[in-house]
Amino acid sequence: MKLPVVIHQARLGATEFRVIRPARPLHHAALIDHDRYVGAYVDQDAARGIAGLWMLAARSPRSLIHLPLRAHHPESPDAVGLRLDLVLLHHSLQFAPSRWKEVRGRLGPGRPQTVSLPEAEHADTAVIDYEACHYRENRDLFHQHLHAETLFMTGSARVFRDTARLFLEVAREGPGHTLAHPGYSHFCTSLHANAGILGNAREIHIEYSTQWSSRATAPSRARLDYPFMGR
Protein backbone atom coordinates (compact mmCIF):
# COMPACT_ATOMS: atom_id res chain seq x y z
CA MET A 1 0.00 0.00 0.00
CA LYS A 2 1.28 3.44 -0.97
CA LEU A 3 0.02 6.01 1.50
CA PRO A 4 0.37 9.74 0.66
CA VAL A 5 0.78 11.76 3.86
CA VAL A 6 1.85 15.20 5.00
CA ILE A 7 4.35 15.45 7.87
CA HIS A 8 4.08 18.48 10.15
CA GLN A 9 6.25 19.75 12.99
CA ALA A 10 5.06 21.85 15.94
CA ARG A 11 7.15 23.14 18.82
CA LEU A 12 5.86 23.88 22.31
CA GLY A 13 8.68 25.25 24.43
CA ALA A 14 11.57 22.81 24.27
CA THR A 15 9.43 19.97 22.89
CA GLU A 16 8.88 19.33 19.20
CA PHE A 17 5.95 17.23 18.05
CA ARG A 18 5.66 15.32 14.78
CA VAL A 19 2.15 15.14 13.36
CA ILE A 20 1.25 13.03 10.32
CA ARG A 21 -1.95 13.62 8.34
CA PRO A 22 -3.35 11.96 5.21
CA ALA A 23 -2.41 13.99 2.14
CA ARG A 24 -5.92 13.68 0.71
CA PRO A 25 -9.05 14.39 2.77
CA LEU A 26 -11.02 11.33 3.85
CA HIS A 27 -14.22 12.71 2.34
CA HIS A 28 -16.34 9.62 2.96
CA ALA A 29 -15.43 8.99 6.58
CA ALA A 30 -16.90 10.23 9.83
CA LEU A 31 -16.38 9.48 13.51
CA ILE A 32 -19.41 10.01 15.75
CA ASP A 33 -19.65 9.93 19.54
CA HIS A 34 -22.74 7.86 20.40
CA ASP A 35 -22.13 8.07 24.16
CA ARG A 36 -21.94 4.34 24.94
CA TYR A 37 -19.80 3.66 21.86
CA VAL A 38 -18.11 5.45 18.97
CA GLY A 39 -19.33 5.01 15.39
CA ALA A 40 -16.94 5.08 12.41
CA TYR A 41 -18.67 5.44 9.03
CA VAL A 42 -16.54 4.74 5.94
CA ASP A 43 -16.70 3.94 2.26
CA GLN A 44 -14.21 1.59 0.58
CA ASP A 45 -11.48 4.16 -0.09
CA ALA A 46 -11.73 5.67 3.39
CA ALA A 47 -11.59 2.22 5.01
CA ARG A 48 -8.39 1.40 3.12
CA GLY A 49 -6.90 4.78 3.97
CA ILE A 50 -7.67 4.42 7.67
CA ALA A 51 -6.21 0.89 7.67
CA GLY A 52 -2.99 2.36 6.28
CA LEU A 53 -2.92 5.11 8.89
CA TRP A 54 -3.61 2.47 11.60
CA MET A 55 -0.55 0.54 10.39
CA LEU A 56 1.46 3.75 10.23
CA ALA A 57 0.64 4.34 13.91
CA ALA A 58 2.16 0.92 14.66
CA ARG A 59 5.35 1.92 12.84
CA SER A 60 5.64 5.50 14.13
CA PRO A 61 5.88 5.47 17.94
CA ARG A 62 7.19 9.06 18.03
CA SER A 63 4.41 10.58 15.91
CA LEU A 64 0.81 11.68 16.30
CA ILE A 65 -1.35 10.38 13.43
CA HIS A 66 -4.13 12.93 12.93
CA LEU A 67 -7.27 12.19 10.90
CA PRO A 68 -9.33 15.40 10.43
CA LEU A 69 -12.86 13.99 10.11
CA ARG A 70 -15.20 16.57 11.60
CA ALA A 71 -15.97 18.31 8.31
CA HIS A 72 -17.70 15.25 6.83
CA HIS A 73 -21.08 14.50 8.39
CA PRO A 74 -23.16 11.42 7.54
CA GLU A 75 -26.86 12.20 7.66
CA SER A 76 -28.43 9.16 9.25
CA PRO A 77 -30.73 8.41 12.20
CA ASP A 78 -27.88 6.29 13.59
CA ALA A 79 -25.33 9.08 13.25
CA VAL A 80 -26.65 11.58 15.77
CA GLY A 81 -23.90 12.75 18.08
CA LEU A 82 -20.76 14.81 18.41
CA ARG A 83 -18.52 14.70 15.33
CA LEU A 84 -14.91 13.91 16.20
CA ASP A 85 -11.44 14.05 14.76
CA LEU A 86 -9.15 11.11 15.49
CA VAL A 87 -5.56 10.93 16.74
CA LEU A 88 -3.66 7.62 16.87
CA LEU A 89 -0.55 7.42 19.03
CA HIS A 90 1.80 4.94 20.67
CA HIS A 91 1.54 4.78 24.47
CA SER A 92 5.28 5.38 24.88
CA LEU A 93 4.87 8.91 23.53
CA GLN A 94 3.03 9.84 26.76
CA PHE A 95 1.33 12.76 25.04
CA ALA A 96 -1.14 14.78 27.13
CA PRO A 97 -4.37 15.34 25.13
CA SER A 98 -4.76 18.68 26.94
CA ARG A 99 -1.85 19.95 24.79
CA TRP A 100 -3.44 18.96 21.50
CA LYS A 101 -5.34 22.18 20.77
CA GLU A 102 -2.12 24.19 21.08
CA VAL A 103 -0.13 21.70 18.99
CA ARG A 104 -2.84 21.67 16.31
CA GLY A 105 -2.83 25.46 16.15
CA ARG A 106 0.93 25.57 15.47
CA LEU A 107 1.06 23.16 12.55
CA GLY A 108 2.53 24.60 9.38
CA PRO A 109 1.86 23.51 5.78
CA GLY A 110 3.91 20.35 6.26
CA ARG A 111 6.03 18.21 3.97
CA PRO A 112 4.38 15.76 1.53
CA GLN A 113 5.69 12.21 1.54
CA THR A 114 4.55 8.81 0.29
CA VAL A 115 4.86 5.97 2.80
CA SER A 116 5.12 2.35 1.66
CA LEU A 117 3.18 -0.08 3.87
CA PRO A 118 3.53 -3.53 2.29
CA GLU A 119 2.41 -5.19 5.53
CA ALA A 120 -0.94 -3.39 5.34
CA GLU A 121 -1.97 -5.53 2.37
CA HIS A 122 -1.73 -8.65 4.54
CA ALA A 123 -2.79 -7.31 7.93
CA ASP A 124 -6.12 -9.12 7.75
CA THR A 125 -4.35 -12.49 7.47
CA ALA A 126 -2.22 -12.09 10.59
CA VAL A 127 -2.43 -14.87 13.17
CA ILE A 128 -3.77 -13.47 16.44
CA ASP A 129 -3.65 -15.21 19.80
CA TYR A 130 -7.20 -14.47 20.92
CA GLU A 131 -6.82 -16.26 24.25
CA ALA A 132 -3.71 -14.27 25.18
CA CYS A 133 -5.64 -11.03 24.74
CA HIS A 134 -7.57 -11.90 27.89
CA TYR A 135 -4.54 -12.63 30.08
CA ARG A 136 -4.15 -10.28 33.02
CA GLU A 137 -0.58 -9.58 31.88
CA ASN A 138 -1.73 -8.33 28.46
CA ARG A 139 -0.55 -4.75 27.90
CA ASP A 140 -1.51 -4.54 24.23
CA LEU A 141 -4.63 -2.52 24.90
CA PHE A 142 -6.29 0.58 23.56
CA HIS A 143 -7.03 3.52 25.83
CA GLN A 144 -9.11 6.53 24.87
CA HIS A 145 -9.26 10.18 25.81
CA LEU A 146 -11.61 12.82 24.47
CA HIS A 147 -10.38 16.41 24.22
CA ALA A 148 -10.95 19.37 21.87
CA GLU A 149 -13.50 17.39 19.79
CA THR A 150 -10.83 14.77 19.16
CA LEU A 151 -10.75 11.09 20.11
CA PHE A 152 -7.27 9.92 21.13
CA MET A 153 -6.62 6.22 20.57
CA THR A 154 -3.49 5.24 22.50
CA GLY A 155 -2.07 1.75 22.13
CA SER A 156 0.92 -0.48 21.45
CA ALA A 157 2.38 -1.23 18.04
CA ARG A 158 0.93 -4.72 18.26
CA VAL A 159 -2.65 -3.70 18.96
CA PHE A 160 -2.58 -1.21 16.06
CA ARG A 161 -1.19 -3.92 13.74
CA ASP A 162 -3.72 -6.50 14.88
CA THR A 163 -6.75 -4.26 14.42
CA ALA A 164 -5.87 -2.54 11.12
CA ARG A 165 -7.32 -5.62 9.45
CA LEU A 166 -10.84 -4.64 10.52
CA PHE A 167 -10.80 -1.67 8.17
CA LEU A 168 -9.28 -3.80 5.40
CA GLU A 169 -12.06 -6.36 5.86
CA VAL A 170 -14.67 -3.62 5.54
CA ALA A 171 -12.99 -2.26 2.39
CA ARG A 172 -12.73 -5.70 0.81
CA GLU A 173 -16.03 -7.30 1.83
CA GLY A 174 -18.39 -4.32 2.11
CA PRO A 175 -18.94 -3.54 -1.59
CA GLY A 176 -19.66 -7.15 -2.58
CA HIS A 177 -21.98 -7.73 0.35
CA THR A 178 -23.94 -4.58 -0.46
CA LEU A 179 -24.43 -5.65 -4.09
CA ALA A 180 -25.41 -9.18 -3.08
CA HIS A 181 -27.90 -8.06 -0.42
CA PRO A 182 -29.74 -5.01 -1.79
CA GLY A 183 -32.58 -5.49 0.67
CA TYR A 184 -30.28 -5.72 3.70
CA SER A 185 -27.08 -3.84 3.13
CA HIS A 186 -25.92 -3.20 6.71
CA PHE A 187 -22.27 -4.24 6.88
CA CYS A 188 -20.16 -3.61 9.98
CA THR A 189 -17.63 -4.90 12.44
CA SER A 190 -16.19 -3.45 15.65
CA LEU A 191 -13.41 -3.15 18.15
CA HIS A 192 -15.45 -5.09 20.65
CA ALA A 193 -15.34 -5.08 24.44
CA ASN A 194 -15.14 -8.89 24.52
CA ALA A 195 -12.04 -9.00 22.29
CA GLY A 196 -9.60 -8.29 25.13
CA ILE A 197 -8.08 -5.25 23.39
CA LEU A 198 -9.88 -2.38 25.12
CA GLY A 199 -8.51 -0.97 28.35
CA ASN A 200 -10.54 2.08 29.32
CA ALA A 201 -11.68 2.47 25.70
CA ARG A 202 -15.24 2.35 24.43
CA GLU A 203 -16.19 0.06 21.57
CA ILE A 204 -15.77 1.42 18.05
CA HIS A 205 -18.46 0.31 15.62
CA ILE A 206 -17.09 0.39 12.04
CA GLU A 207 -19.83 0.68 9.44
CA TYR A 208 -19.56 0.47 5.66
CA SER A 209 -21.48 3.27 3.95
CA THR A 210 -22.07 3.65 0.22
CA GLN A 211 -24.39 6.63 -0.21
CA TRP A 212 -22.51 9.87 0.19
CA SER A 213 -23.25 13.25 -1.37
CA SER A 214 -21.92 16.80 -1.15
CA ARG A 215 -24.10 17.06 1.96
CA ALA A 216 -22.43 13.88 3.28
CA THR A 217 -25.28 11.45 3.57
CA ALA A 218 -24.06 8.09 4.80
CA PRO A 219 -25.83 5.14 4.68
CA SER A 220 -26.39 2.04 2.77
CA ARG A 221 -24.90 -0.50 5.18
CA ALA A 222 -23.94 -4.11 5.53
CA ARG A 223 -22.99 -6.25 8.47
CA LEU A 224 -20.41 -8.93 9.11
CA ASP A 225 -19.40 -10.42 12.47
CA TYR A 226 -15.90 -11.67 13.35
CA PRO A 227 -14.73 -14.03 16.10
CA PHE A 228 -12.00 -11.51 17.03
CA MET A 229 -14.68 -9.09 18.08
CA GLY A 230 -16.11 -11.53 20.60
CA ARG A 231 -19.35 -12.00 18.70
Side-chain angles (χ1 to χ4, degrees):
M1 178 185 290
K2 300 294 186 181
L3 183 66
V5 298
V6 178
I7 300 175
H8 305 262
Q9 304 289 339
R11 181 172 292 278
L12 295 185
T15 306
E16 187 170 70
F17 297 94
R18 187 171 186 256
V19 178
I20 303 176
R21 287 170 165 166
R24 294 188 291 267
L26 298 169
H27 288 296
H28 296 165
L31 192 67
I32 313 295
D33 190 335
H34 292 303
D35 193 21
R36 292 183 299 104
Y37 68 96
V38 177
Y41 302 87
V42 294
D43 72 353
Q44 185 179 41
D45 287 343
R48 282 183 55 81
I50 293 174
L53 293 163
W54 221 260
M55 291 300 298
L56 186 59
R59 283 181 34 172
S60 307
R62 306 309 301 167
S63 300
L64 300 162
I65 313 298
H66 177 215
L67 286 67
L69 300 174
R70 284 181 293 158
H72 312 296
H73 299 170
E75 295 177 357
S76 162
D78 296 331
V80 176
L82 178 67
R83 272 65 178 178
L84 301 172
D85 283 350
L86 179 63
V87 170
L88 312 174
L89 65 154
H90 194 273
H91 56 71
S92 65
L93 191 57
Q94 297 185 326
F95 178 78
S98 60
R99 309 191 73 183
W100 172 242
K101 196 169 183 179
E102 193 174 0
V103 169
R104 186 175 60 193
R106 297 194 179 197
L107 298 178
R111 174 172 52 89
Q113 182 174 318
T114 298
V115 179
S116 179
L117 295 167
E119 69 270 30
E121 301 295 343
H122 308 287
D124 57 336
T125 63
V127 176
I128 300 170
D129 188 344
Y130 303 111
E131 184 177 353
C133 290
H134 294 276
Y135 291 165
R136 181 178 298 178
E137 296 79 9
N138 179 32
R139 295 295 181 266
D140 295 308
L141 302 171
F142 279 122
H143 296 279
Q144 291 176 357
H145 296 87
L146 189 61
H147 185 78
E149 296 180 294
T150 302
L151 181 70
F152 292 83
M153 289 288 292
T154 304
S156 66
R158 178 176 179 177
V159 76
F160 277 115
R161 283 195 304 268
D162 286 352
T163 54
R165 71 183 188 86
L166 303 181
F167 292 96
L168 290 175
E169 290 275 11
V170 169
R172 187 185 65 212
E173 304 293 343
H177 189 99
T178 297
L179 289 174
H181 302 84
Y184 182 68
S185 57
H186 184 95
F187 184 102
C188 68
T189 186
S190 64
L191 279 79
H192 198 278
N194 293 339
I197 57 171
L198 302 181
N200 71 342
R202 288 177 292 171
E203 294 182 351
I204 296 184
H205 179 86
I206 306 165
E207 190 166 312
Y208 177 70
S209 302
T210 60
Q211 297 177 3
W212 299 77
S213 71
S214 59
R215 295 181 59 191
T217 52
S220 188
R221 303 160 187 162
R223 178 186 184 88
L224 187 65
D225 295 328
Y226 299 98
F228 181 69
M229 285 353 102
R231 300 279 187 180

